[in-house]
């Protein structure tokens, strides 16, 4: 049953990312996921406005070894799934650091 939920989310993300890349990423990702993905890829604080869904999909798929070259097209389910796994681990790590050290989120 859990695989059905995972498959649904993957299809949902892939469809939204391809059909509506201009939407804000918060349509499909939490604010914590957006901040973690941005920090992991750019090593900079997140921008004031959240990245678009298309940008976020490419960031996440990049964690799953999607290269994003000119002719590569849209990220596939395998790259997206592997990227989501790494993103979830990063979100948990950042939340733990904030809880343990008492940092407040001043970005994004």
């Amino acid at each position: 049953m859990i695989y059905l939920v995972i498959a649904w989310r993957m299809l949902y993300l892939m469809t939204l990312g391809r059909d509506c890349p201009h939407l804000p990423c918060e349509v499909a990702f939490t604010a914590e996921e957006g901040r973690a993905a941005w920090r992991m890829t750019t090593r900079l604080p997140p921008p004031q406005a959240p990245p678009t869904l298309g940008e976020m999909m490419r960031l996440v798929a990049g964690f799953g070894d999607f290269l994003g070259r000119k002719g590569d097209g849209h990220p596939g389910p395998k790259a997206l799934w592997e990227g989501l796994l790494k993103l979830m681990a990063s979100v948990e790590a950042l939340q733990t650091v904030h809880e343990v050290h008492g940092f407040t989120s001043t970005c994004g």
Side-chain angles (χ1 to χ4, degrees), residues 1-17:
M1 186 64 158
I2 190 76
Y3 291 119
L4 181 63
V5 174
I6 293 169
W8 176 85
R9 182 166 190 215
M10 297 299 299
L11 181 63
Y12 175 72
L13 288 175
M14 287 176 45
T15 303
L16 272 182

Side-chain angles (χ1 to χ4, degrees), residues 11-96:
L11 181 63
Y12 175 72
L13 288 175
M14 287 176 45
T15 303
L16 272 182
R18 291 178 184 180
D19 295 344
C20 307
H22 59 280
L23 292 175
C25 70
E26 293 170 342
V27 169
F29 295 95
T30 65
E32 291 83 15
E33 291 170 336
R35 285 192 296 267
W38 189 266
R39 283 192 173 279
M40 287 173 51
T41 55
T42 65
R43 304 285 190 228
L44 298 171
Q48 291 296 327
T52 64
L53 185 57
E55 290 173 319
M56 184 68 172
M57 293 291 290
R58 289 190 170 268
L59 290 176
V60 171
F63 304 144
D65 296 329
F66 177 72
L67 299 177
R69 298 174 293 202
K70 188 175 182 180
D72 282 349
H74 297 286
K78 182 179 178 192
L80 190 57
W81 170 247
E82 291 177 0
L84 282 171
L85 289 175
K86 291 178 183 175
L87 179 62
M88 293 301 117
S90 299
V91 168
E92 288 181 27
L94 286 174
Q95 287 174 344
T96 301

